[in-house]
Each structure stands twice: as structure tokens, then as C-alpha cells.
């Protein structure tokens, strides 16, 4: 098995295929070479192909109305993109640009539909990949709301390490090929705030920084920092729970007076309840004196 077949065999499209089926599907695909910085497709383009990264890295971005660019994800070998337009034929919603010199395998949607129709197990693998991506999107959205920036930086570094890391005697080398601005976009924070978190990690001896790469010296510390941020978010989001027995009951009031809350059966009256029950003392001053 050559390198291309090895990479393709790890994609959801090929996981359900035997050797003959994989060879037949491979014959339907064609290679696309793209240079660093070259755009593969842009927002609004017609979507008619699915791509699998064979070598290199591709970044997916969106552009705001004011022209600012936001980095959504980085795609590496054995990962696919562009499949959403297979099920939703509207124009592309993202721009795909090569972070490095890259080689891709492209599959026309019309050819893929024929395979999915005749191979339900292949369709299930593709749907599972889409479901995993949706779960990941939900997790990212939750982190943006609840997790602090250092926690998100730790998670981003660990995710990049899982996909692009190389084991070395002194740690895990991650050549992510991202600029400082792109890394900040991936985290969802300003470059200054992300750089401050990275500097803190360097000072603690957890990482070492280089141009467009990072060495994870202590990945376990980063995992603890990421878990700590997530646990704090869940605790903050949960808030105090109020049971039904602790809710104030409504005490009947005499005619002409509104009902007021009071303690439920089996509860101790609070200071507020006692003040409501005990009348205020009358003034000890003679009634003839001015008030």
C-alpha cells in the first residue's frame, strides 16, 4: 500500500470499503496540487466536489461584512472537507486556502452520490463524520461562552498536537504553520490576550515557542488547565438549585389585605417573616409633642 492509499484508508469514505471497493473509489478521484497561500475555493462559489487532504494543511475561513477574516479550522492529512454541499447544494459558506504546499484528492459529488446510494454502510460512515463535526462545533461554541482564554489556548494546542504532533525526546513538537493572528482567530480571542496566555505557559515551563510551531514540554499540565477551565464553566453555569420544599408558601391574608409569603410547613421562620408578624413598637413620646 502506497502513502496515498494509506491516507485515504483512514478517511470515513474508505473505512467501510473492502480492497476492491477502495480501488474502485480511488479511480473516481483525481489529485489537486495547491501552493502555499493559494485559494482552492471561496465563499459563494458553487460546491461540486469533496476533498481529502493527502499532504499539507488547509485552513477554512469566513469573512465578515467589514472584511475581517475568521479562521474556523485547520484540515490535515486524512481529513476531508467540502462535503456539506453534497447534501445542501447552496454556495460554499467558507473559503479554503492552503497553509502549506498541499496535495488533495477530489471527488465529484455526482460520483459520490452513486456510491452512497449503492453502499448504505458508506453513507453511515459519512454521516458519523458529519455528526462528530457537529459535536465539535457545539463544543467550540460552549468554550467561547464559558471557558476563559488560557483554557481555550490550552485546548487548541492539544487539539493541534493530536493531529500534527511529532514525538521528540524533549516533548511533543507541533508544527501548526499558523501566524500569531491565525492562532488567535482559532482560539476566538485577541492576539494580545492569546500571546499573554502563551507567555504564561512558557513561564511555567509547559511549552516552548518557535516560529509557527510549539513544543509541548508538559502536555499533562495543559490538559489539567483545559479541564480546570471546563469544570469551572460547568460550575458557574449550573448555579444554585432551589427545591420545591424551599419555595415560600402564600399565607392567607385577612379580607382587604393582599396575601404575603411565609415559611412552608416544617421550615424555620426567617427574620423577614418575624418582622412581618410582630407589629412595630409605638412611640414612647407624649402625643402632644411635635413629631
Amino acid at each position: 500500500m502506497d502513502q496515498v492509499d494509506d491516507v485515504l484508508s483512514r478517511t470515513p469514505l474508505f473505512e467501510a470499503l473492502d480492497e476492491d471497493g477502495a480501488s474502485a473509489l480511488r479511480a473516481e478521484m483525481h489529485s489537486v496540487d495547491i501552493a502555499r497561500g493559494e485559494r482552492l475555493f471561496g465563499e459563494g462559489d458553487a460546491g461540486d466536489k469533496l476533498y481529502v487532504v493527502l499532504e499539507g494543511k488547509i485552513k477554512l475561513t469566513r469573512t465578515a461584512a467589514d472584511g475581517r477574516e475568521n479562521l474556523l479550522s485547520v484540515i490535515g492529512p486524512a481529513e476531508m472537507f467540502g462535503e456539506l454541499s453534497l447534501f445542501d447544494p447552496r454556495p460554499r459558506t467558507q473559503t479554503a486556502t492552503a497553509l502549506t504546499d498541499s496535495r488533495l484528492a477530489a471527488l465529484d459529488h455526482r460520483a459520490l452520490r452513486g456510491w452512497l446510494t449503492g453502499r448504505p454502510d458508506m453513507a453511515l460512515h459519512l454521516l458519523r463524520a458529519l455528526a462528530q463535526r457537529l459535536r465539535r462545533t457545539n463544543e467550540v461554541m460552549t468554550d467561547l461562552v464559558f471557558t476563559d482564554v488560557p483554557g481555550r489556548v490550552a485546548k487548541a494546542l492539544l487539539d493541534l498536537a493530536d493531529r500534527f504532533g511529532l514525538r521528540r525526546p524533549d516533548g511533543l513538537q507541533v508544527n501548526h504553520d499558523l501566524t500569531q493572528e491565525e492562532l488567535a482567530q482559532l482560539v476566538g480571542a485577541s492576539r494580545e490576550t492569546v500571546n499573554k496566555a502563551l507567555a504564561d505557559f512558557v513561564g511555567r515551563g509547559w511549552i516552548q515557542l518557535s516560529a509557527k510551531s510549539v513544543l509541548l514540554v508538559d502536555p499533562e499540565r495543559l490538559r489539567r488547565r483545559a479541564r480546570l477551565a471546563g469544570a469551572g464553566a460547568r460550575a458557574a453555569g449550573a448555579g444554585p438549585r432551589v427545591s420545591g420544599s424551599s419555595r415560600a408558601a402564600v399565607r392567607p391574608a385577612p379580607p382587604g389585605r393582599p396575601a404575603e409569603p411565609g415559611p412552608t410547613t416544617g421550615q424555620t421562620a426567617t427574620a423577614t417573616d418575624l418582622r412581618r408578624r410582630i407589629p412595630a413598637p409605638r412611640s414612647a413620646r407624649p402625643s402632644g409633642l411635635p413629631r
Side-chain angles (χ1 to χ4, degrees):
M1 179 182 293
D2 61 17
Q3 182 180 357
V4 172
D5 290 336
D6 178 60
V7 173
L8 289 176
S9 66
R10 292 185 275 125
T11 65
L13 288 177
F14 286 80
E15 287 178 346
L17 298 178
D18 55 22
E19 186 175 349
D20 292 338
S23 298
L25 181 59
R26 176 71 178 88
E28 298 272 6
M29 308 180 79
H30 62 275
S31 298
V32 177
D33 291 321
I34 181 172
R36 176 180 176 274
E38 185 179 349
R39 194 179 77 165
L40 180 65
F41 58 74
E43 294 178 55
D45 292 352
D48 59 351
K49 291 181 179 64
L50 174 150
Y51 296 93
V52 177
V53 179
L54 302 177
E55 300 175 13
K57 299 183 186 70
I58 300 292
K59 67 175 183 178
L60 301 180
T61 61
R62 292 200 69 171
T63 304
D66 59 3
R68 290 180 300 171
E69 187 178 74
N70 183 37
L71 176 61
L72 301 177
S73 60
V74 178
I75 310 297
E79 295 180 319
M80 63 183 184
F81 61 98
E83 72 279 6
L84 290 182
S85 55
L86 170 67
F87 305 99
D88 184 4
R90 289 183 295 179
R92 302 278 194 189
T93 58
Q94 302 170 342
T95 297
T97 308
L99 272 176
T100 64
D101 293 343
S102 304
R103 170 164 292 183
L104 315 173
L107 179 63
D108 188 85
H109 282 173
R110 288 176 297 180
L112 180 57
R113 288 191 187 98
W115 277 89
L116 296 180
T117 302
R119 299 293 298 263
D121 52 344
M122 183 177 174
L124 287 176
H125 278 76
L126 182 58
L127 289 175
R128 185 181 298 118
L130 293 175
Q132 291 171 351
R133 186 170 299 178
L134 180 58
R135 288 178 185 272
R136 172 60 179 159
T137 301
N138 290 339
E139 182 181 347
V140 170
M141 294 300 295
T142 301
D143 287 341
L144 287 174
V145 175
F146 294 114
T147 306
D148 60 8
V149 173
R152 300 206 302 271
V153 172
K155 284 189 175 184
L157 294 178
L158 291 169
D159 177 67
L160 292 170
D162 286 341
R163 296 186 291 134
F164 307 119
L166 298 174
R167 180 65 60 183
R168 283 180 26 178
D170 52 349
L172 196 59
Q173 182 67 43
V174 185
N175 299 320
H176 51 70
D177 296 295
L178 298 171
T179 65
Q180 291 183 350
E181 182 62 33
E182 289 170 336
L183 183 59
Q185 292 174 11
L186 188 65
V187 171
S190 67
R191 185 176 65 179
E192 293 77 12
T193 308
V194 171
N195 284 345
K196 183 178 179 180
L198 291 172
D200 178 62
F201 294 167
V202 171
R204 295 174 184 269
W206 298 354
I207 65 172
Q208 295 178 10
L209 294 176
S210 302
K212 295 188 177 183
S213 68
V214 59
L215 177 67
L216 304 191
V217 180
D218 197 341
E220 184 56 33
R221 291 284 187 175
L222 290 175
R223 292 189 186 95
R224 292 179 186 176
R225 182 61 181 87
R227 285 198 297 266
L228 177 64
R234 287 190 293 273
R241 296 185 63 184
V242 180
S243 64
S245 61
S246 63
R247 293 173 183 151
V250 177
R251 185 169 58 241
R257 291 182 59 188
E260 56 183 300
T264 60
T265 303
Q267 285 186 290
T268 302
T270 63
T272 303
D273 296 321
L274 293 175
R275 285 197 298 271
R276 286 172 177 156
R277 295 180 182 182
I278 301 175
R282 296 179 179 275
S283 175
R285 291 177 297 181
S287 60
L289 295 179
R291 295 181 180 276

